[in-house]
DNA sequence: TGGAGACATGTTATAGCGTTACATCTCTTT
DNA sequence: AAAGAGATGTAACGCTATAACATGTCTCCA
């Protein structure tokens, strides 16, 4: 079972290893983001025993572009790029009331950031954009 | 000694408490970002003994807009807003080679993000924008 | 004047997130 | 069969952050 043949952020679904498939399944089935330890607890019945098993799988899944890390939460979500846009331009709106996360692709904003980077000679390998606040539903409640 | 009378992200320099002043001094004198524990170690000779002393001061300094938290590093930097722009629109370019951090204010990008949020009914209380990559100097080397 | 309230501080313990180091297993290739 | 590469298992540890509780230090005002 191999999980290679990948350049970087490929759009093809790679052949996942057993652990990668289990971790992705946990994230894909979850409503919101999960921490590594939450995933570990969920996968104990599948034989998971140590954090490293989760982190190793997460590293690969992020590399494949199938999972995003939310820096401001120290948590992970399965990728739901609306319209199947580039994984490079992902941004997240995180509701601090209900914990929901919306993924979106602010391509115009990303262009502006890239323009700044180009002008400064900065080569960005990853761009993190996260909005923390209150979602529509929670604001209405 | 008081450190109040603040609405939110005031531009006035508040009267800092002893601990706040020490922590801010450490960050302001540092070349790059510092973790809370690095600050703690640096302030042991000033009587600091526990992480909480640092975190309490950091919370206030962030609230005052004098310090930014870098989510992707779990570290903190003194604010160096070029041109004294709003603390609300701060972004950071973090070099993974040399550890340097450039703060900038991509107001156009922030406007685009705010427009998305408005359209979705999302009220953002904080916006995190961090570029990870390679700075000009390190690319040249 | 002395007590109440508000805020800052001190201290210990603990919870949560992530990695190092090392051993083993399973395939593929030759 | 031997060698190499990648995946996995396990234990121990280190870094990041907070909970809970105790104490100190002011100001205000009855």
């Amino acid at each position: 079972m191999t999980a290679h043949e990948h350049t970087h952020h490929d759009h093809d679904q790679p052949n996942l290893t057993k652990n990668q498939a289990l971790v992705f399944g946990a994230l894909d089935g979850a409503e919101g983001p999960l921490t590594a330890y939450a995933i570990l607890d969920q996968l104990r019945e599948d034989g998971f025993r140590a954090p490293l098993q989760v982190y190793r799988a997460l590293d690969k899944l992020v590399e494949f572009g199938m999972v995003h890390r939310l820096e401001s939460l120290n948590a992970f979500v399965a990728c739901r790029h609306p319209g199947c846009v580039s994984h490079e331009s992902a941004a997240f709106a995180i509701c601090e009331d209900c914990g929901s996360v919306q993924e979106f692709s602010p391509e115009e904003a990303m262009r502006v950031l890239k323009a700044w980077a180009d002008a400064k000679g900065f080569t960005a390998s990853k761009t993190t954009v996260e909005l923390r606040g209150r979602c529509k539903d929670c604001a209405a409640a």
Side-chain angles (χ1 to χ4, degrees), chain A:
Chain A
M1 203 181 275
T2 68
H4 323 97
E5 322 268 327
H6 283 272
T7 51
H8 186 56
H9 283 180
D10 214 304
H11 263 205
D12 305 326
Q13 183 103 346
N15 291 325
L16 299 181
T17 66
K18 179 165 169 270
N19 286 0
Q20 287 160 16
L22 285 167
V23 169
F24 183 74
L27 283 172
D28 199 42
E31 297 226 343
L34 296 177
T35 67
Y37 276 69
I39 296 170
L40 173 58
D41 286 340
Q42 215 176 290
L43 294 180
R44 286 201 189 276
E45 55 189 17
D46 296 289
F48 273 52
R49 306 260 119 213
L52 196 48
Q53 296 175 290
V54 178
Y55 283 110
R56 285 204 273 234
L58 286 171
D59 284 348
K60 289 295 186 182
L61 292 169
V62 168
E63 186 186 325
F64 300 157
M66 298 173 65
V67 164
H68 296 286
R69 174 187 175 82
L70 299 178
E71 302 287 355
S72 67
L73 290 181
N74 292 334
F76 302 83
V77 283
C79 178
R80 326 261 193 211
H81 41 163
C84 195
V85 207
S86 161
H87 298 281
E88 302 295 347
S89 67
F92 303 89
I94 302 162
C95 178
E96 293 177 318
D97 275 24
C98 69
S100 72
V101 172
Q102 289 179 80
E103 179 176 346
F104 64 108
S105 294
E107 303 194 60
E108 179 58 27
M110 292 296 185
R111 261 193 296 278
V112 172
L113 293 176
K114 176 146 184 17
W116 179 90
D118 287 347
K120 295 292 186 181
F122 188 92
T123 308
S125 60
K126 187 188 175 190
T127 299
T128 298
V129 175
E130 297 178 15
L131 313 188
R132 304 289 299 265
R134 205 158 206 236
C135 73
K136 186 176 192 169
D137 290 352
C138 288

